[in-house]
Amino acid sequence: MKTISIFFRVFIFLLLVLPTTVRADVSVNALFSDHMVIQRETIIPIWGWADPFEKVEVKSSWGESAAVVAGADGKWKTNLKTPKAGGPFQIIISGNNKIIIDDVLSGEVWLCTGQSNMDFAIAKFLNNAREAQYQPLVEYMRAEVASANDDYLRHIEVPQTTSLNEKKTNFKGQWVSANSGGIKKITATGYFFAKELRSRLHIPIGLVECSWGGTRVQPWISKEAYLADENLKEYFEVNRKDIEKTIKKMDAENYTDTLYEQQLTVWKSKGSKGRKPKSKVHPRADKQAVTTLYNGMLHAIIPFAIKGAIWYQGESNAVYMPNEYEAFLTTMISSWRLDWGQGDFPFYWTQLAACQRANDKADKGWATVNDQLRRALKLPNTGMAVLYDVGEAKDIHPHNKMDAGKRMALWALERDYNIRIDAISGPLYKSNKIKGNKIVITFDKTYSGLMTGYKHLLNPTISVNEPLKWFEIVGTDGVWQKAEAKIISKKKVEVWNATIANPKYVRYAWSGTPDGANLYNIEGLPAAVFTTEQ
């Protein structure tokens, strides 16, 4: 009788549970929601979850449809052909239940990623500037917010999430439009990039933002990418061993953050004035831990169909492995492209805007990262905007995101949309030749030629009659000295210092704040920070 009773209980339990299990709702990634923007005229992946082996159908109001059967793990993914730019459209996803996605636009989708200068939404730039001379930029931002009414420029943001080992597959978020209700939530850099595209293409633009202030490049790279790179594999393995030791220590029952407790006691003894000490961050919550942001944020949106990506990051690496930045960045870009499966999609970034640094090491690290960003242009289908002339010495988050976005958009407009642009870049270092006590620098991207220029706020760069500034030269003694420099042709600059008989290298704008750096092309774009050192 006891055995029969047990079987009866199990039978009743199954009757109660099975209907719920079998008829679980079909669901989709958060990207596939009302007001979304899809990449136009291509084949896009759509994915989600359902019951094991459940049939899922996807139908669109533009006439395309697809069907798929979920796998044993409940995951499903199918492909759908997208229409020409326009909308609004509707997508209906059906299984045991039905999902209706309304107000879908077809256009161009760009990934916006990096640290705070990409992360900061327009709302962050509406307070008064730290220096009065930049207040007109604040007023411009305020006017932009007051007049915004563009339903064809849309944005969705992945919440800032760490994940040391688990690869996240979904997130909570919603699409917003660049109108009075949504514009303040949109990444400022991404917004002005998209606005420039909108003004020239006249089609919907969607921005998928995946960024976090204060982060280095290292957490944005996957474990697989680290292990596949012989140069970075050891860095990853050593880093992970340290993390595991820290986790074991911090997870122990009797763990105490003694350094924090000491600092807190001192802080309290001084009347709790100044910045309050912070306790040690657990590796599972550490946004700087390797792979943690790739796992926690980026993986959740792969392989959503995009046109390309824009990247604004490097400030946090100016004091952390700046000399190796190129290796990490190029590995990151190449691995993202591999993961997305879209080939070498466009990837554009910025050099860092000018900002006064705390000490000489940080100052030179800033310049080093800028040069490393320039060297990363060796990757195919990449481009770079130069920003030292639109920075603010006392604010690491300069207000001029207008020029930052526009300068990246120049690359996209010509390279990806075949729109003729007078110049997409300022002069880029190409080569050098030592001639006696002088070094002749040859530049690429000079277009109509080189000039000395001056840029004020949002005004176009103007030509000025003054000597070139911020060139430095070094001889066999290894001591860098200020150099004289002269434009000698459309593509060349001659650099020298009368006290250096045998020069070896030249560098330009080598500082966090190269105030007065004035080499431009005639089209008004600044020359990139560079050094000729190998």
Side-chain angles (χ1 to χ4, degrees), residues 9-21:
R9 290 176 185 175
V10 171
F11 177 74
I12 295 298
F13 174 80
L14 291 175
L15 283 178
L16 293 172
V17 172
L18 278 177
T20 305
T21 305

PDB file of all heavy atoms in Angstrom, residues 9-21:
ATOM      1  N   ARG A   9       1.150   9.753  -5.514  1.00  0.00           N
ATOM      2  CA  ARG A   9       1.622  11.127  -5.289  1.00  0.00           C
ATOM      3  C   ARG A   9       2.456  11.637  -6.460  1.00  0.00           C
ATOM      4  O   ARG A   9       2.334  12.785  -6.879  1.00  0.00           O
ATOM      5  CB  ARG A   9       2.444  11.187  -4.008  1.00  0.00           C
ATOM      6  CG  ARG A   9       1.608  10.998  -2.737  1.00  0.00           C
ATOM      7  CD  ARG A   9       2.508  10.974  -1.513  1.00  0.00           C
ATOM      8  NE  ARG A   9       1.739  10.680  -0.311  1.00  0.00           N
ATOM      9  CZ  ARG A   9       2.285  10.496   0.876  1.00  0.00           C
ATOM     10  NH1 ARG A   9       3.610  10.563   1.004  1.00  0.00           N
ATOM     11  NH2 ARG A   9       1.525  10.239   1.926  1.00  0.00           N
ATOM     12  N   VAL A  10       3.320  10.791  -6.988  1.00  0.00           N
ATOM     13  CA  VAL A  10       4.141  11.168  -8.141  1.00  0.00           C
ATOM     14  C   VAL A  10       3.257  11.482  -9.335  1.00  0.00           C
ATOM     15  O   VAL A  10       3.466  12.451 -10.075  1.00  0.00           O
ATOM     16  CB  VAL A  10       5.150  10.054  -8.484  1.00  0.00           C
ATOM     17  CG1 VAL A  10       5.841  10.365  -9.818  1.00  0.00           C
ATOM     18  CG2 VAL A  10       6.171   9.923  -7.373  1.00  0.00           C
ATOM     19  N   PHE A  11       2.186  10.609  -9.522  1.00  0.00           N
ATOM     20  CA  PHE A  11       1.271  10.794 -10.652  1.00  0.00           C
ATOM     21  C   PHE A  11       0.557  12.148 -10.556  1.00  0.00           C
ATOM     22  O   PHE A  11       0.448  12.898 -11.529  1.00  0.00           O
ATOM     23  CB  PHE A  11       0.256   9.651 -10.664  1.00  0.00           C
ATOM     24  CG  PHE A  11      -0.791   9.789 -11.747  1.00  0.00           C
ATOM     25  CD1 PHE A  11      -0.456   9.554 -13.072  1.00  0.00           C
ATOM     26  CD2 PHE A  11      -2.092  10.146 -11.432  1.00  0.00           C
ATOM     27  CE1 PHE A  11      -1.402   9.684 -14.069  1.00  0.00           C
ATOM     28  CE2 PHE A  11      -3.037  10.284 -12.420  1.00  0.00           C
ATOM     29  CZ  PHE A  11      -2.701  10.057 -13.752  1.00  0.00           C
ATOM     30  N   ILE A  12       0.068  12.474  -9.377  1.00  0.00           N
ATOM     31  CA  ILE A  12      -0.610  13.758  -9.170  1.00  0.00           C
ATOM     32  C   ILE A  12       0.353  14.920  -9.412  1.00  0.00           C
ATOM     33  O   ILE A  12       0.019  15.929 -10.034  1.00  0.00           O
ATOM     34  CB  ILE A  12      -1.197  13.843  -7.737  1.00  0.00           C
ATOM     35  CG1 ILE A  12      -2.297  12.784  -7.559  1.00  0.00           C
ATOM     36  CG2 ILE A  12      -1.726  15.236  -7.443  1.00  0.00           C
ATOM     37  CD1 ILE A  12      -3.480  12.971  -8.487  1.00  0.00           C
ATOM     38  N   PHE A  13       1.584  14.781  -8.911  1.00  0.00           N
ATOM     39  CA  PHE A  13       2.606  15.823  -9.105  1.00  0.00           C
ATOM     40  C   PHE A  13       2.855  16.077 -10.588  1.00  0.00           C
ATOM     41  O   PHE A  13       2.910  17.225 -11.047  1.00  0.00           O
ATOM     42  CB  PHE A  13       3.913  15.407  -8.416  1.00  0.00           C
ATOM     43  CG  PHE A  13       5.059  16.345  -8.684  1.00  0.00           C
ATOM     44  CD1 PHE A  13       5.183  17.540  -7.998  1.00  0.00           C
ATOM     45  CD2 PHE A  13       6.013  16.021  -9.648  1.00  0.00           C
ATOM     46  CE1 PHE A  13       6.220  18.395  -8.244  1.00  0.00           C
ATOM     47  CE2 PHE A  13       7.063  16.882  -9.903  1.00  0.00           C
ATOM     48  CZ  PHE A  13       7.171  18.067  -9.210  1.00  0.00           C
ATOM     49  N   LEU A  14       2.986  14.998 -11.372  1.00  0.00           N
ATOM     50  CA  LEU A  14       3.229  15.139 -12.805  1.00  0.00           C
ATOM     51  C   LEU A  14       2.054  15.793 -13.513  1.00  0.00           C
ATOM     52  O   LEU A  14       2.238  16.603 -14.431  1.00  0.00           O
ATOM     53  CB  LEU A  14       3.538  13.775 -13.428  1.00  0.00           C
ATOM     54  CG  LEU A  14       4.873  13.142 -13.028  1.00  0.00           C
ATOM     55  CD1 LEU A  14       4.997  11.736 -13.611  1.00  0.00           C
ATOM     56  CD2 LEU A  14       6.034  14.005 -13.484  1.00  0.00           C
ATOM     57  N   LEU A  15       0.835  15.441 -13.083  1.00  0.00           N
ATOM     58  CA  LEU A  15      -0.349  16.056 -13.678  1.00  0.00           C
ATOM     59  C   LEU A  15      -0.354  17.567 -13.466  1.00  0.00           C
ATOM     60  O   LEU A  15      -0.760  18.339 -14.335  1.00  0.00           O
ATOM     61  CB  LEU A  15      -1.622  15.461 -13.073  1.00  0.00           C
ATOM     62  CG  LEU A  15      -2.049  14.067 -13.559  1.00  0.00           C
ATOM     63  CD1 LEU A  15      -3.299  13.621 -12.810  1.00  0.00           C
ATOM     64  CD2 LEU A  15      -2.315  14.084 -15.065  1.00  0.00           C
ATOM     65  N   LEU A  16       0.116  17.981 -12.290  1.00  0.00           N
ATOM     66  CA  LEU A  16       0.132  19.405 -11.968  1.00  0.00           C
ATOM     67  C   LEU A  16       1.262  20.159 -12.657  1.00  0.00           C
ATOM     68  O   LEU A  16       1.115  21.295 -13.083  1.00  0.00           O
ATOM     69  CB  LEU A  16       0.248  19.592 -10.449  1.00  0.00           C
ATOM     70  CG  LEU A  16      -0.960  19.135  -9.621  1.00  0.00           C
ATOM     71  CD1 LEU A  16      -0.611  19.201  -8.137  1.00  0.00           C
ATOM     72  CD2 LEU A  16      -2.183  19.997  -9.925  1.00  0.00           C
ATOM     73  N   VAL A  17       2.415  19.486 -12.776  1.00  0.00           N
ATOM     74  CA  VAL A  17       3.614  20.164 -13.277  1.00  0.00           C
ATOM     75  C   VAL A  17       3.743  20.126 -14.785  1.00  0.00           C
ATOM     76  O   VAL A  17       4.097  21.111 -15.429  1.00  0.00           O
ATOM     77  CB  VAL A  17       4.881  19.571 -12.629  1.00  0.00           C
ATOM     78  CG1 VAL A  17       6.134  20.127 -13.283  1.00  0.00           C
ATOM     79  CG2 VAL A  17       4.866  19.844 -11.138  1.00  0.00           C
ATOM     80  N   LEU A  18       3.428  18.975 -15.393  1.00  0.00           N
ATOM     81  CA  LEU A  18       3.685  18.813 -16.825  1.00  0.00           C
ATOM     82  C   LEU A  18       3.009  19.852 -17.708  1.00  0.00           C
ATOM     83  O   LEU A  18       3.630  20.368 -18.633  1.00  0.00           O
ATOM     84  CB  LEU A  18       3.311  17.398 -17.262  1.00  0.00           C
ATOM     85  CG  LEU A  18       4.372  16.333 -16.983  1.00  0.00           C
ATOM     86  CD1 LEU A  18       3.858  14.963 -17.401  1.00  0.00           C
ATOM     87  CD2 LEU A  18       5.668  16.653 -17.708  1.00  0.00           C
ATOM     88  N   PRO A  19       1.736  20.190 -17.490  1.00  0.00           N
ATOM     89  CA  PRO A  19       1.122  21.182 -18.360  1.00  0.00           C
ATOM     90  C   PRO A  19       1.893  22.497 -18.361  1.00  0.00           C
ATOM     91  O   PRO A  19       2.053  23.131 -19.383  1.00  0.00           O
ATOM     92  CB  PRO A  19      -0.287  21.358 -17.767  1.00  0.00           C
ATOM     93  CG  PRO A  19      -0.556  20.071 -17.077  1.00  0.00           C
ATOM     94  CD  PRO A  19       0.765  19.647 -16.526  1.00  0.00           C
ATOM     95  N   THR A  20       2.380  22.913 -17.193  1.00  0.00           N
ATOM     96  CA  THR A  20       3.154  24.150 -17.097  1.00  0.00           C
ATOM     97  C   THR A  20       4.468  24.014 -17.829  1.00  0.00           C
ATOM     98  O   THR A  20       4.908  24.913 -18.532  1.00  0.00           O
ATOM     99  CB  THR A  20       3.435  24.485 -15.615  1.00  0.00           C
ATOM    100  OG1 THR A  20       2.194  24.524 -14.925  1.00  0.00           O
ATOM    101  CG2 THR A  20       4.142  25.805 -15.483  1.00  0.00           C
ATOM    102  N   THR A  21       5.130  22.883 -17.685  1.00  0.00           N
ATOM    103  CA  THR A  21       6.422  22.675 -18.315  1.00  0.00           C
ATOM    104  C   THR A  21       6.298  22.605 -19.832  1.00  0.00           C
ATOM    105  O   THR A  21       7.029  23.246 -20.567  1.00  0.00           O
ATOM    106  CB  THR A  21       7.063  21.384 -17.783  1.00  0.00           C
ATOM    107  OG1 THR A  21       7.126  21.463 -16.367  1.00  0.00           O
ATOM    108  CG2 THR A  21       8.449  21.181 -18.361  1.00  0.00           C
TER     109      THR A  21
END
